[in-house]
Amino acid sequence: MSSPAQTHTDSLTILLTQEGPLSRFALIKAVLGPIMRLMFRPQVEGAEHIPGDGPVILAGNHLTFIDSMIMPLFCDRQVFFIGKDEYVTGKGIKGRLMAWFFTGCGMIPVDRDGGRGGVAALMTGRRVLEEGKVFSIYPEGTRSPDGRLYRGRTGIARLAMMTGAPVVPFAIIGTDKIQPGGAGMPRPGRVTVRFGEAMEFSRYEGMDRDRYVLRAVTDSVMTEVMRLSGQEYVDMYATKAKAA
């Protein structure tokens, strides 16, 4: 009998080999892309900053649920990202369709509850990058509770230094207006996806356990995200703000 860890590894391997013109992602993009362009009139800026091949970390703000659907559909390369495993564990036809859709969009389900959730997410991102793929991460760790940009968690820095992958900061603007509160069907509106220049941190190789370096790298990424998004910055974690 396969262990949960082995099952997750096998599922990740399958996901990472599904790119190409006949992949589920290509099908979803072909069907949903025109619909989403019509609904959201997206303005994509700076996409040329994403390298055409090799490992890349996309790091940006997180306003609402639909962020993870919009940004990957308007990138030339397939983007992989972490999602709650509850999105793919539903029962019946609806559950299977949701699993097919979310994993086809590049979502890698991870159980993020408990003390090892962050480690699992980090190791998953490392595996994606070692395969030469694009991995997207929200350094805030959760959706903004009020539209402001919150302090980034240092997993982004650790991932960049462990893999040597460049970090391309991005900002999604307007999704909180088309899907307020992160729930329900999004409504028509204009969305902007803005990418900044790639950031490279190879000078910190071997320092991924130095908490001062990790914080400095994370803050430099968040500064770029703030510049791209125009959001007000709050120097506290979003999870703490939500719990207050």
Side-chain angles (χ1 to χ4, degrees):
M1 183 179 226
S2 297
S3 67
Q6 182 61 47
T7 300
H8 173 69
T9 299
D10 293 343
S11 299
L12 180 54
T13 299
I14 292 171
L15 279 171
L16 294 178
T17 56
Q18 285 182 342
E19 293 185 81
L22 299 179
S23 67
R24 278 186 293 156
F25 175 71
L27 175 61
I28 291 170
K29 190 171 184 177
V31 173
L32 282 187
I35 296 173
M36 296 184 80
R37 288 183 187 279
L38 183 63
M39 285 186 64
F40 307 133
R41 308 189 306 279
Q43 181 174 339
V44 181
E45 304 173 4
E48 69 275 6
H49 295 310
I50 303 175
D53 53 47
V56 183
I57 302 170
L58 301 182
N61 61 335
H62 193 14
L63 298 172
T64 192
F65 175 80
I66 202 173
D67 294 340
S68 296
M69 301 296 105
I70 286 182
M71 193 271 288
L73 284 175
F74 300 116
C75 287
D76 291 335
R77 297 178 63 185
Q78 181 165 9
V79 178
F80 295 91
F81 57 95
I82 295 297
K84 295 179 181 178
D85 62 351
E86 64 192 58
Y87 295 141
V88 301
T89 55
K91 305 298 183 182
I93 295 176
K94 180 181 178 182
R96 289 195 293 271
L97 285 174
M98 287 181 64
W100 183 91
F101 174 77
F102 284 118
T103 56
C105 284
M107 191 194 91
I108 302 169
V110 170
D111 182 359
R112 296 185 297 177
D113 293 331
R116 298 190 61 81
V119 175
L122 188 67
M123 292 301 101
T124 298
R126 181 176 185 174
R127 169 74 186 281
V128 171
L129 294 166
E130 287 174 345
E131 293 284 338
K133 311 294 186 181
V134 181
F135 184 69
S136 179
I137 187 171
Y138 302 119
E140 291 169 280
T142 187
R143 295 193 295 260
S144 170
D146 54 18
R148 296 184 293 176
L149 185 69
Y150 283 79
R151 195 180 200 209
R153 296 189 176 275
T154 57
I156 173 64
R158 192 181 300 275
L159 195 58
M161 286 188 277
M162 283 193 305
T163 64
V167 177
V168 174
F170 72 86
I172 298 181
I173 303 166
T175 51
D176 54 335
K177 303 296 190 298
I178 65 174
Q179 194 184 37
M185 289 295 293
R187 58 199 184 198
R190 179 172 291 280
V191 171
T192 298
V193 183
R194 184 175 294 149
F195 298 96
E197 294 185 8
M199 305 174 73
E200 202 266 339
F201 299 106
S202 60
R203 61 191 181 279
Y204 298 119
E205 183 179 0
M207 303 176 70
D208 57 286
R209 294 187 179 277
D210 186 317
R211 63 190 181 96
Y212 295 106
V213 172
L214 290 172
R215 174 48 55 194
V217 169
T218 302
D219 288 348
S220 68
V221 172
M222 297 308 290
T223 296
E224 282 302 296
V225 174
M226 179 179 65
R227 182 184 66 80
L228 293 166
S229 69
Q231 290 170 279
E232 177 185 347
Y233 180 74
V234 183
D235 192 21
M236 68 182 293
Y237 293 122
T239 49
K240 185 176 181 180
K242 287 182 176 181

